[in-house]
Every structure is written in C-alpha cells, then in structure tokens.
Amino acid sequence: MIKKGQPEGNAKKVTFQDREIYMENLDQPAVQENEETAASIELELRKLKALNKFRSMVEGEIIDNCLLEKPKKSLLRRESEREKQQHREISLWGVPLLPSKGHASTDVVLLKFLTAKDFKVNEAFKMLRNTLKWRKECRIDTIPEENLHLGLEKFVYINGVGKQGQPVYYILYGAFKDRELYRKVLGTEESREKFLRLRIQFMEKSIKQLSFKAGGADSILLITDLKHSPGPEREEFRSVHKNASTLIQANYPELIQKHILINVPFWYYTSRFLKSRLKHQRGNKKVVLARPSEVTKTLLKYISPENLPVKYGGLKRENDIEFFPEDKASELIVKPNSASRIQIPVIEAGVTIVWDFTVVGWEVKCKQQFIPDDEGSYEVLLRKGKEKKLCDSVRNSFYINEPGKIVITIDNATLKKKRVYYRSKAKPTVPTYIIFKKQL
C-alpha cells in the first residue's frame, strides 16, 4: 500500500513528485513492485508534461506563422493574414499539426518526435521543424504520384501487413547483382538521387496505409533482403544505403516499428557490430538481423503465415485465387525424432480439396495421401515422402470420388521441434470427363 504520512513498522520511504510517501508492506517483493509502480507513474507524468509543453510550443509557432520560418515583414497585411490562415492548415502525413483543432491523431504524431528525442521538448521541436522544411524543399507531399521508372518493381514494394496491421515494406538489394541494373540505378549522382526518392516514395505510400488512431497501425515493418547484395567494397551502394537510412531516421521518427534485415552475410554482422557501439540504443533495438537459415522463423514473429510471401516460407502467393489472407492457417508442432499427421476429413464426394502447408526450417520428410473410409478401396499416394530442406510452401489439390481423408505426414528426424502451418478448403467441382462428355 502506498500512503503519505509517517512510516509504520517496516514501511519504506520513497520520493514521488517531490513528496515523501511510504510503502507499508513487510513483503520485500511487494515493496519492490510498489517502487516500480511509483517510478512508472512518475515517468508517465513526465511524458505527459513534455507532451503538453510540446503541444503549446507547436500551437504558438503555428498561430504566429513561425513554424517553418519567420514571416516576411514586406508582406501586406491582407497577404499576411492569408498566409497565417494557410499555415494553420499545416499537416504531416495527413494529420493536422495545430493541437487546438482537436484531431485525434495530432498527439500521436507529436509523440513520435518526442519519443525519438527522449521527451526533450526543444530537440523534438527542432526535429519537427527540420522535417517540415525538408518536405517542403524536396516536394515530398507529391512524391507518391511521381513516375520513377528504375526497373525495380520486383525489388521495392509493399506486400501484406504485420500481425498488428502494419504495412510491410520490402527492399531486395539482390537486384544489384545485375551489373547493368547496378550501373543504371547507382552509376551516377542523378540516378542515385532518383533511387533515394524511390525509397522515400515507398515510405510515403506505406504511411498512407496508417491510421494514427488508438488501436490502429501507426508504424510500418521494413524488410531489407541482403541476399546477393553488393559487398562493402561497392562505394555507390554503401553511400546510397547510408543516405537512405539517414533520411529515414531524421524525418520519419518512430515510424518504423522494426527494421528486419534478412539473409545477412557475415561481413554485415561485423560492420554492424562495430557501428552499433556508436549508435543510440533505441535505434539498435529496432533492428533485427536474421541469417539465411533463420529468415522464416524471424519473420513469423512479426508477420502471420497467411501474410508472409512463399519465397520467405509463408503461405502468401501473388494473385492467389484459392486462398486469401483471411483464410487463417492452423499450427502443428512436430517433436524431435517423431512424426505427426495432418488430417483433412472429407465427408462427401464430388469436391476438390485444396491445401497449403509450410514447415519452418524444413529438413523433414513429407508424405501426402488420400485414405478412403471404405476399407475395400485403395489408398492414393499423392506425393512421396522426400526430404525437404529450405524451400517454398507446398500447395496441392485432389478431386474426391468417395468419402475419406487427406493425410499429410511430417517426419522430423532432427533434434529440434518443427512448426507447421497449414490450411485447406473444399470447392465443388465437375470432373473433366463429364464436361468433355457433354461437349460430344
């Protein structure tokens, strides 16, 4: 219990908001818990105080038409009033910045700048001002509509959402193993500037999918695939990668929930270790590195299997007509040195069963078969049990002539448990021979 006044018994005195309070509890773990609670409350109050100060500062600068720069004295009074009115409509990422407008998302945006600067109000305000200036000078508000034809459509894109509804932004640096494309995109200062605008364009497109509301997504997942990427000796690549990271860090505070680098080569680990000692600890916590063998396992922490592309071990296929992200997958754990079965019962004939499944890390044997309910019928081996290493998910289908079940056997001979994700659906089907017969 926390209370003011004089201590009783073994009550412990702590200072909270410049007041002496006592925690009356003989149980040491409970005393520690109360101390942590008091510290947490004090921290939240400090954050709230900083937010109120920041809101007041932003409000005053907007009202005085000074958020970006001081107004020109040469302006006529009528022009000055018109400019002030326009200034009050200033927004960032589609959210009004004037706190007195009462927009529900204004505080969410302001808090991102405060959080990035450890709730130091003056530094947060400086960052906000610099971001707005940069956006104006570089025409960032119009960048989503720009046609930046670089031939990178398959390597820079937005695909699916994370577990918390965040848009997932992918960039695959393996595109630059093509020497001709490398020269085209990174060969000149002008082309590198264009590539930077492309990176920013997809940041802006990702942000358009955010709600900035309570319970909604207010950040994105950035996936950088380093498979076949140029090494550190390629100066142009190193420079543009560094510049893109700097721009995003300076102008998109707290908008990347996690930056997940996958298929990370050894040289990158070494470079990252040396640089991380000089960087801010918060930035380090947002970066996740995954070796080639850990890619699927790592991505599934943040993206559901239904939204993870098959090339990364998930179930999501482009232009899929059989399954949608809303078709949730079930999970099966296969213990080490054991086999488990997935059974899909079919109670009526005349349908086609379609199924998907993937095994995290693979290195297992998989057998697929149809077993009829009638003991006098023959089992049908759909796919023989061959060992599968790292590969895409498996999709198969089978037309059902009689009631029975599809059985998928996962044989795990490794010393590690394996996680399997699977889903299936039945769809009415007219056999091909009947269609052919009607056409005769």
mmCIF file of all heavy atoms in Angstrom, residues 21-44:
data_model
loop_
_atom_site.group_PDB
_atom_site.id
_atom_site.type_symbol
_atom_site.label_atom_id
_atom_site.label_comp_id
_atom_site.label_asym_id
_atom_site.label_seq_id
_atom_site.Cartn_x
_atom_site.Cartn_y
_atom_site.Cartn_z
ATOM 1 N N ILE A 21 6.476 9.613 0.366
ATOM 2 C CA ILE A 21 5.398 8.643 0.556
ATOM 3 C C ILE A 21 6.005 7.375 1.123
ATOM 4 O O ILE A 21 7.217 7.140 1.042
ATOM 5 C CB ILE A 21 4.665 8.343 -0.766
ATOM 6 C CG1 ILE A 21 5.667 7.825 -1.815
ATOM 7 C CG2 ILE A 21 3.969 9.579 -1.309
ATOM 8 C CD1 ILE A 21 5.004 7.425 -3.117
ATOM 9 N N TYR A 22 5.161 6.553 1.721
ATOM 10 C CA TYR A 22 5.643 5.345 2.376
ATOM 11 C C TYR A 22 4.900 4.141 1.842
ATOM 12 O O TYR A 22 3.689 4.181 1.611
ATOM 13 C CB TYR A 22 5.441 5.452 3.905
ATOM 14 C CG TYR A 22 6.215 6.585 4.505
ATOM 15 C CD1 TYR A 22 5.646 7.853 4.601
ATOM 16 C CD2 TYR A 22 7.521 6.393 4.927
ATOM 17 C CE1 TYR A 22 6.360 8.916 5.129
ATOM 18 C CE2 TYR A 22 8.246 7.439 5.460
ATOM 19 C CZ TYR A 22 7.668 8.698 5.561
ATOM 20 O OH TYR A 22 8.379 9.743 6.068
ATOM 21 N N MET A 23 5.668 3.068 1.639
ATOM 22 C CA MET A 23 5.071 1.819 1.175
ATOM 23 C C MET A 23 5.046 0.862 2.351
ATOM 24 O O MET A 23 6.090 0.384 2.807
ATOM 25 C CB MET A 23 5.884 1.249 0.014
ATOM 26 C CG MET A 23 5.818 2.142 -1.220
ATOM 27 S SD MET A 23 6.748 1.487 -2.616
ATOM 28 C CE MET A 23 8.415 1.662 -1.994
ATOM 29 N N GLU A 24 3.857 0.630 2.843
ATOM 30 C CA GLU A 24 3.693 -0.172 4.044
ATOM 31 C C GLU A 24 3.450 -1.629 3.654
ATOM 32 O O GLU A 24 2.341 -2.031 3.336
ATOM 33 C CB GLU A 24 2.509 0.361 4.866
ATOM 34 C CG GLU A 24 2.358 -0.350 6.203
ATOM 35 C CD GLU A 24 1.173 0.181 6.961
ATOM 36 O OE1 GLU A 24 0.773 1.325 6.697
ATOM 37 O OE2 GLU A 24 0.641 -0.557 7.803
ATOM 38 N N ASN A 25 4.497 -2.406 3.653
ATOM 39 C CA ASN A 25 4.388 -3.810 3.288
ATOM 40 C C ASN A 25 5.635 -4.528 3.771
ATOM 41 O O ASN A 25 6.744 -4.091 3.488
ATOM 42 C CB ASN A 25 4.236 -3.958 1.769
ATOM 43 C CG ASN A 25 3.649 -5.319 1.406
ATOM 44 O OD1 ASN A 25 4.050 -6.332 1.945
ATOM 45 N ND2 ASN A 25 2.686 -5.296 0.491
ATOM 46 N N LEU A 26 5.484 -5.599 4.495
ATOM 47 C CA LEU A 26 6.628 -6.334 5.011
ATOM 48 C C LEU A 26 7.226 -7.262 3.975
ATOM 49 O O LEU A 26 8.345 -7.739 4.134
ATOM 50 C CB LEU A 26 6.202 -7.157 6.244
ATOM 51 C CG LEU A 26 5.672 -6.333 7.431
ATOM 52 C CD1 LEU A 26 5.243 -7.277 8.545
ATOM 53 C CD2 LEU A 26 6.732 -5.367 7.934
ATOM 54 N N ASP A 27 6.503 -7.522 2.901
ATOM 55 C CA ASP A 27 6.960 -8.450 1.870
ATOM 56 C C ASP A 27 7.870 -7.709 0.891
ATOM 57 O O ASP A 27 7.439 -6.799 0.207
ATOM 58 C CB ASP A 27 5.738 -9.026 1.136
ATOM 59 C CG ASP A 27 6.151 -10.116 0.151
ATOM 60 O OD1 ASP A 27 7.298 -10.575 0.239
ATOM 61 O OD2 ASP A 27 5.300 -10.472 -0.674
ATOM 62 N N GLN A 28 9.155 -8.095 0.844
ATOM 63 C CA GLN A 28 10.126 -7.384 0.023
ATOM 64 C C GLN A 28 9.751 -7.344 -1.457
ATOM 65 O O GLN A 28 9.858 -6.297 -2.099
ATOM 66 C CB GLN A 28 11.513 -8.006 0.197
ATOM 67 C CG GLN A 28 12.627 -7.213 -0.486
ATOM 68 C CD GLN A 28 12.749 -5.805 0.048
ATOM 69 O OE1 GLN A 28 12.498 -5.567 1.232
ATOM 70 N NE2 GLN A 28 13.099 -4.861 -0.814
ATOM 71 N N PRO A 29 9.290 -8.461 -2.086
ATOM 72 C CA PRO A 29 8.879 -8.388 -3.497
ATOM 73 C C PRO A 29 7.785 -7.368 -3.736
ATOM 74 O O PRO A 29 7.780 -6.662 -4.738
ATOM 75 C CB PRO A 29 8.408 -9.814 -3.803
ATOM 76 C CG PRO A 29 9.168 -10.668 -2.836
ATOM 77 C CD PRO A 29 9.252 -9.847 -1.588
ATOM 78 N N ALA A 30 6.835 -7.260 -2.784
ATOM 79 C CA ALA A 30 5.757 -6.291 -2.939
ATOM 80 C C ALA A 30 6.283 -4.866 -2.831
ATOM 81 O O ALA A 30 5.829 -3.958 -3.518
ATOM 82 C CB ALA A 30 4.675 -6.539 -1.876
ATOM 83 N N VAL A 31 7.292 -4.657 -1.926
ATOM 84 C CA VAL A 31 7.915 -3.339 -1.803
ATOM 85 C C VAL A 31 8.564 -2.945 -3.121
ATOM 86 O O VAL A 31 8.415 -1.830 -3.610
ATOM 87 C CB VAL A 31 8.964 -3.346 -0.666
ATOM 88 C CG1 VAL A 31 9.792 -2.057 -0.695
ATOM 89 C CG2 VAL A 31 8.279 -3.486 0.684
ATOM 90 N N GLN A 32 9.281 -3.905 -3.709
ATOM 91 C CA GLN A 32 9.941 -3.637 -4.987
ATOM 92 C C GLN A 32 8.919 -3.337 -6.075
ATOM 93 O O GLN A 32 9.113 -2.440 -6.894
ATOM 94 C CB GLN A 32 10.797 -4.840 -5.389
ATOM 95 C CG GLN A 32 11.583 -4.617 -6.672
ATOM 96 C CD GLN A 32 12.458 -5.797 -7.011
ATOM 97 O OE1 GLN A 32 12.552 -6.753 -6.251
ATOM 98 N NE2 GLN A 32 13.106 -5.739 -8.156
ATOM 99 N N GLU A 33 7.803 -4.062 -6.058
ATOM 100 C CA GLU A 33 6.753 -3.837 -7.054
ATOM 101 C C GLU A 33 6.167 -2.440 -6.909
ATOM 102 O O GLU A 33 5.907 -1.752 -7.887
ATOM 103 C CB GLU A 33 5.663 -4.898 -6.900
ATOM 104 C CG GLU A 33 4.543 -4.766 -7.924
ATOM 105 C CD GLU A 33 3.466 -5.818 -7.742
ATOM 106 O OE1 GLU A 33 3.705 -6.779 -6.986
ATOM 107 O OE2 GLU A 33 2.397 -5.671 -8.342
ATOM 108 N N ASN A 34 5.962 -1.996 -5.659
ATOM 109 C CA ASN A 34 5.418 -0.657 -5.424
ATOM 110 C C ASN A 34 6.395 0.426 -5.876
ATOM 111 O O ASN A 34 5.997 1.467 -6.383
ATOM 112 C CB ASN A 34 5.086 -0.476 -3.941
ATOM 113 C CG ASN A 34 3.802 -1.187 -3.555
ATOM 114 O OD1 ASN A 34 2.928 -1.382 -4.387
ATOM 115 N ND2 ASN A 34 3.707 -1.600 -2.299
ATOM 116 N N GLU A 35 7.683 0.174 -5.655
ATOM 117 C CA GLU A 35 8.686 1.129 -6.117
ATOM 118 C C GLU A 35 8.649 1.258 -7.636
ATOM 119 O O GLU A 35 8.723 2.350 -8.188
ATOM 120 C CB GLU A 35 10.078 0.676 -5.666
ATOM 121 C CG GLU A 35 10.333 0.862 -4.179
ATOM 122 C CD GLU A 35 11.719 0.361 -3.783
ATOM 123 O OE1 GLU A 35 12.230 -0.558 -4.461
ATOM 124 O OE2 GLU A 35 12.281 0.889 -2.827
ATOM 125 N N GLU A 36 8.548 0.125 -8.319
ATOM 126 C CA GLU A 36 8.491 0.125 -9.776
ATOM 127 C C GLU A 36 7.232 0.814 -10.275
ATOM 128 O O GLU A 36 7.253 1.537 -11.270
ATOM 129 C CB GLU A 36 8.560 -1.309 -10.300
ATOM 130 C CG GLU A 36 9.906 -1.977 -10.065
ATOM 131 C CD GLU A 36 9.902 -3.438 -10.453
ATOM 132 O OE1 GLU A 36 8.816 -3.959 -10.803
ATOM 133 O OE2 GLU A 36 10.967 -4.077 -10.397
ATOM 134 N N THR A 37 6.109 0.609 -9.563
ATOM 135 C CA THR A 37 4.851 1.260 -9.935
ATOM 136 C C THR A 37 4.963 2.774 -9.808
ATOM 137 O O THR A 37 4.541 3.527 -10.681
ATOM 138 C CB THR A 37 3.696 0.744 -9.071
ATOM 139 O OG1 THR A 37 3.580 -0.665 -9.232
ATOM 140 C CG2 THR A 37 2.390 1.413 -9.450
ATOM 141 N N ALA A 38 5.560 3.230 -8.677
ATOM 142 C CA ALA A 38 5.731 4.663 -8.465
ATOM 143 C C ALA A 38 6.628 5.269 -9.533
ATOM 144 O O ALA A 38 6.361 6.348 -10.059
ATOM 145 C CB ALA A 38 6.313 4.914 -7.071
ATOM 146 N N ALA A 39 7.704 4.557 -9.882
ATOM 147 C CA ALA A 39 8.618 5.048 -10.913
ATOM 148 C C ALA A 39 7.928 5.120 -12.262
ATOM 149 O O ALA A 39 8.139 6.060 -13.038
ATOM 150 C CB ALA A 39 9.849 4.139 -10.987
ATOM 151 N N SER A 40 7.077 4.118 -12.536
ATOM 152 C CA SER A 40 6.355 4.100 -13.804
ATOM 153 C C SER A 40 5.373 5.257 -13.886
ATOM 154 O O SER A 40 5.251 5.913 -14.931
ATOM 155 C CB SER A 40 5.612 2.762 -13.955
ATOM 156 O OG SER A 40 4.847 2.734 -15.129
ATOM 157 N N ILE A 41 4.672 5.531 -12.793
ATOM 158 C CA ILE A 41 3.725 6.648 -12.765
ATOM 159 C C ILE A 41 4.453 7.967 -12.974
ATOM 160 O O ILE A 41 4.017 8.838 -13.724
ATOM 161 C CB ILE A 41 2.949 6.659 -11.426
ATOM 162 C CG1 ILE A 41 2.029 5.432 -11.338
ATOM 163 C CG2 ILE A 41 2.143 7.949 -11.272
ATOM 164 C CD1 ILE A 41 1.368 5.268 -9.998
ATOM 165 N N GLU A 42 5.597 8.111 -12.315
ATOM 166 C CA GLU A 42 6.366 9.346 -12.439
ATOM 167 C C GLU A 42 6.856 9.551 -13.867
ATOM 168 O O GLU A 42 6.841 10.662 -14.400
ATOM 169 C CB GLU A 42 7.560 9.308 -11.477
ATOM 170 C CG GLU A 42 8.298 10.629 -11.399
ATOM 171 C CD GLU A 42 9.249 10.692 -10.229
ATOM 172 O OE1 GLU A 42 9.442 9.652 -9.558
ATOM 173 O OE2 GLU A 42 9.802 11.772 -9.980
ATOM 174 N N LEU A 43 7.262 8.455 -14.508
ATOM 175 C CA LEU A 43 7.719 8.538 -15.894
ATOM 176 C C LEU A 43 6.589 8.971 -16.814
ATOM 177 O O LEU A 43 6.771 9.825 -17.685
ATOM 178 C CB LEU A 43 8.288 7.187 -16.340
ATOM 179 C CG LEU A 43 8.763 7.105 -17.800
ATOM 180 C CD1 LEU A 43 9.907 8.075 -18.040
ATOM 181 C CD2 LEU A 43 9.195 5.675 -18.136
ATOM 182 N N GLU A 44 5.396 8.388 -16.626
ATOM 183 C CA GLU A 44 4.257 8.743 -17.465
ATOM 184 C C GLU A 44 3.848 10.197 -17.268
ATOM 185 O O GLU A 44 3.480 10.888 -18.219
ATOM 186 C CB GLU A 44 3.071 7.815 -17.160
ATOM 187 C CG GLU A 44 3.273 6.378 -17.603
ATOM 188 C CD GLU A 44 3.593 6.276 -19.088
ATOM 189 O OE1 GLU A 44 2.910 6.944 -19.889
ATOM 190 O OE2 GLU A 44 4.536 5.554 -19.440
#
